[in-house]
Amino acid sequence: MQNLYNKLIELSESRQYPFHMPGHKRNTDSTPLKGAFQCDITEIDDFDNLHDEEGIILEAEERANRLYGAHRTYFSVNGSTAGVLAAVSASVKSGGTILAARGSHKSFYHAAFLRNLNIKYLPNKTDNELKIPGVYSKDDVENYLDDSVEAVFITSPTYEGKCSDIAGIARICHERNIPLIVDAAHGAHFGFGKEYDKEQEYSSVPQNAVKQGADIVIHSIHKTLPSMTQTALIHISDYKGLADEVKKYLRIYQTSSPSYVLMASIDLCMEELEKNSDSFIKNLLDYRNAISVKTSGLHNIAIAGADIIDDPAKVVIFDRTGTMTGKQIYGILREEYSLQLEMAGEKIALAILSGWDSEEGIDRLIQAVSEIDEKIQETKINTETSVNNITDGKKSAEYPLADLKLSEAWDKTSEETLLQEANGKISGDFINLYPPGIPLIVPGEVFSEELIEEICGYLDEDLNVQGVVSKPGGTGYFVRTLK
Ligand SMILES: Cc1ncc(COP(=O)(O)O)c(C=O)c1O
């Protein structure tokens, strides 16, 4: 089967002249990004159309579909964001009700806003030791389902690599005749490879959510597979004509000029999986197991193991003595060791691995965390006191209660309020800790003292809090509340 990239290269080497968009005319002198511009075209003859695919794009989507085992797979050139928007819109009628975890990605809330949905929340499941979102069992979901719920939305794996019981939750949903949407943005590598050495901490990657019975599964292939940023897949089961509904909304939420560079990247990534997924996953497991083995003797720094983190691609680094915050570990790795991690949380620093990492990179990470561990040990011996303990049992604030529906609140006029004076007021905007982009408060929810304290803590730690602005001259932090 010819891949999209080869067909684009064939075109670029042919005599065919582009009297069409884009404006660079495939002239590589117009840019230093030569290869990308060579493949960047619009929907010309023989190159199909993402929004109404019947040729080479359909074939490419079918290849992806065979790999993941869905009824239908669509490409997204607008990330999992477009996938989540389309999945939620397709599954719940306008003004309807969806059951979801409060710790869902902001794209879920944006979908709820656009479709004027009522959100029913699963209970908050934060892991209080590492301060990372927890996961859900089938009983959690069953206990919160009622006749108003039209679909269930679960994030699995989480950003940090924890998985919910998707097979069990899918069964419960199907007994109720409603679809299960799984935001598996971080799990595109799941289900590949074999079961390798069982003696090792990680011997395989978890099963993919499509095979576990979910009805719509969204994968950001750019996050854990070799594909360009923005590329994603949406897999749909043959449940109640959902595939056609999802397509309808993808046409709305995606650009009418989808990038052939991005689509070729998706197709090449699928070809790579088709040919080399076993060695890709074997490399990933080898890298992750080496990290576990070589850091197992550390006294202070710990890497969360397979008992906590299901996904071997996620390396959750924390200081079990509480000497260092996640942000401090992240900062030292970046400033002193030139290792750029994915994100820092209150307690953890998160590194993402893939089968395309290098041994040199993995060795540098192991060496760096070992040296940080030694430094903490020295500090403890020198001071002979218990060091600045940030793990003093401070619990994350409970998610705030909603006073108003999200879509009503976000449409109302809001005003700037000093964060310290926001207690009891209704939020007019989202406040997100980024990454991972899970809202701390959504429009319509009420600020509490605990939440304000938690936000101040993140700001003090210099974490990236979106939706809070500081004024020049240091007059404080402001949020938006309803008038
Ligand atoms: C859980 C989750 N869902 C959805 C998304 C959106 O993915 P994308 O960046 O591919 O649009 C993200 C992005 O970080 C995410 O973490």
Side-chain angles (χ1 to χ4, degrees):
M1 158 182 172
Q2 186 174 28
N3 69 40
L4 188 51
Y5 173 74
N6 288 341
K7 198 167 159 73
L8 288 161
I9 291 296
E10 223 171 71
L11 174 73
S12 77
E13 289 169 353
S14 74
R15 276 179 43 78
Q16 197 183 101
Y17 187 87
F19 283 114
H20 57 74
M21 296 184 285
H24 57 66
K25 301 297 179 128
R26 287 194 269 111
N27 180 347
T28 51
D29 290 342
S30 69
T31 173
L33 279 171
K34 307 220 180 282
F37 271 45
Q38 215 177 357
C39 295
D40 190 31
I41 58 164
T42 188
E43 289 81 7
I44 53 174
D45 292 344
D46 295 338
F47 281 87
D48 210 358
N49 185 321
L50 178 67
H51 292 291
D52 224 347
E53 62 278 59
E54 49 187 24
I56 191 158
I57 295 175
L58 179 64
E59 280 171 28
E61 288 181 332
E62 282 171 352
R63 182 213 304 269
N65 184 37
R66 281 195 297 280
L67 284 164
Y68 287 90
H71 165 66
R72 190 75 175 82
T73 293
Y74 297 127
F75 284 4
S76 166
V77 292
N78 188 23
S80 284
T81 297
V84 169
L85 292 173
V88 172
S89 304
S91 306
V92 185
K93 65 178 181 303
S94 177
T97 300
I98 189 162
L99 179 66
R102 176 60 179 75
S104 303
H105 184 258
K106 59 184 177 176
S107 52
F108 166 77
Y109 293 95
H110 294 164
F113 168 74
L114 289 169
R115 301 282 291 158
N116 190 24
L117 301 188
N118 300 300
I119 309 171
K120 217 173 166 271
Y121 289 117
L122 288 162
N124 182 15
K125 285 276 206 104
T126 304
D127 169 324
N128 265 320
E129 203 200 336
L130 296 179
K131 297 272 175 73
I132 60 178
V135 288
Y136 294 92
S137 68
K138 80 174 185 17
D139 292 343
D140 291 328
V141 173
E142 193 162 27
N143 292 338
Y144 282 80
L145 276 175
D146 63 30
D147 289 345
S148 68
V149 174
E150 289 168 54
V152 174
F153 184 92
I154 300 281
T155 302
S156 179
T158 59
Y159 200 67
E160 296 82 3
K162 286 171 82 71
C163 295
S164 288
D165 171 16
I166 295 304
I169 298 171
R171 274 199 306 278
I172 296 297
C173 288
H174 295 155
E175 276 167 27
R176 298 255 182 169
N177 243 338
I178 56 173
L180 169 63
I181 304 167
V182 178
D183 177 351
H186 292 269
H189 56 300
F190 282 16
F192 289 100
K194 311 188 247 260
E195 172 102 41
Y196 295 95
D197 186 353
K198 280 203 179 148
E199 300 295 303
Q200 297 285 344
E201 182 170 25
Y202 289 95
S203 60
S204 61
V205 292
Q207 184 53 277
N208 92 52
V210 176
K211 295 259 168 69
Q212 289 179 294
D215 300 292
I216 307 182
V217 177
I218 302 118
H219 283 140
S220 288
I221 59 170
H222 67 91
K223 293 190 194 294
T224 53
L225 293 174
S227 191
M228 289 178 90
T229 298
Q230 280 190 220
T231 55
L233 298 173
I234 302 102
H235 313 282
I236 304 114
S237 71
D238 59 357
Y239 196 75
K240 294 185 181 169
L242 265 182
D244 290 343
E245 277 299 291
V246 170
K247 186 73 195 178
K248 173 171 118 189
Y249 286 100
L250 280 174
R251 289 189 184 113
I252 297 174
Y253 296 132
Q254 293 211 86
T255 171
S256 59
S257 309
S259 158
Y260 276 81
V261 178
L262 296 183
M263 289 190 281
S265 174
I266 301 178
D267 197 23
L268 287 175
C269 176
M270 294 303 110
E271 196 174 72
E272 170 67 14
L273 281 181
E274 204 171 48
K275 290 182 183 153
N276 299 318
S277 60
D278 282 355
S279 62
F280 180 85
I281 298 296
K282 175 82 170 62
N283 286 348
L284 168 65
L285 296 168
D286 286 349
Y287 292 144
R288 183 60 187 83
N289 288 324
I291 292 172
S292 286
V293 171
K294 292 182 185 167
T295 58
S296 61
L298 302 185
H299 301 288
N300 308 287
I301 293 286
I303 312 282
D307 52 333
I308 308 174
I309 304 296
D310 304 293
D311 180 3
K314 297 299 170 72
V315 184
V316 172
I317 306 167
F318 65 103
D319 176 359
R320 63 161 80 92
T321 65
T323 312
M324 280 190 192
T325 62
K327 182 76 181 176
Q328 285 167 326
I329 298 170
Y330 174 98
I332 295 174
L333 288 170
R334 185 178 141 82
E335 304 305 327
E336 296 180 23
Y337 295 93
S338 299
L339 297 171
Q340 174 65 65
L341 266 58
E342 167 69 18
M343 75 122 168
E346 195 178 338
K347 294 288 185 68
I348 65 148
L350 177 69
I352 298 192
L353 306 184
S354 94
W356 279 102
D357 270 302
S358 67
E359 266 175 44
E360 190 242 333
I362 302 297
D363 289 345
R364 281 176 54 196
L365 181 63
I366 294 169
Q367 180 70 22
V369 293
S370 305
E371 286 180 19
I372 296 173
D373 184 72
E374 263 171 44
K375 279 184 206 150
I376 299 174
Q377 193 68 5
E378 281 162 20
T379 319
K380 278 166 51 187
I381 294 164
N382 291 343
T383 58
E384 283 182 3
T385 54
S386 80
V387 273
N388 166 32
N389 190 342
I390 55 112
T391 63
D392 55 2
K394 186 162 81 72
K395 218 170 150 286
S396 294
E398 288 297 318
Y399 283 116
L401 290 173
D403 226 41
L404 259 184
K405 202 167 161 179
L406 163 66
S407 42
E408 286 164 30
W410 214 15
D411 271 344
K412 281 190 187 288
T413 315
S414 62
E415 62 188 351
E416 273 185 346
T417 301
L418 205 57
L419 175 60
Q420 269 78 6
E421 290 171 7
N423 186 26
K425 298 196 170 170
I426 301 174
S427 183
D429 205 348
F430 288 91
I431 298 180
N432 298 316
L433 185 59
Y434 203 87
I438 296 172
L440 297 166
I441 191 165
V442 307
E445 291 179 341
V446 183
F447 281 95
S448 66
E449 273 304 340
E450 297 78 50
L451 179 69
I452 294 168
E453 208 183 298
E454 184 175 344
I455 294 172
C456 289
Y458 294 139
L459 292 166
D460 287 346
E461 282 171 42
D462 210 20
L463 295 174
N464 180 5
V465 185
Q466 299 176 336
V468 180
V469 291
S470 60
K471 292 280 158 136
T475 47
Y477 290 108
F478 291 83
V479 293
R480 297 210 72 89
T481 60
L482 294 191
K483 285 187 170 169

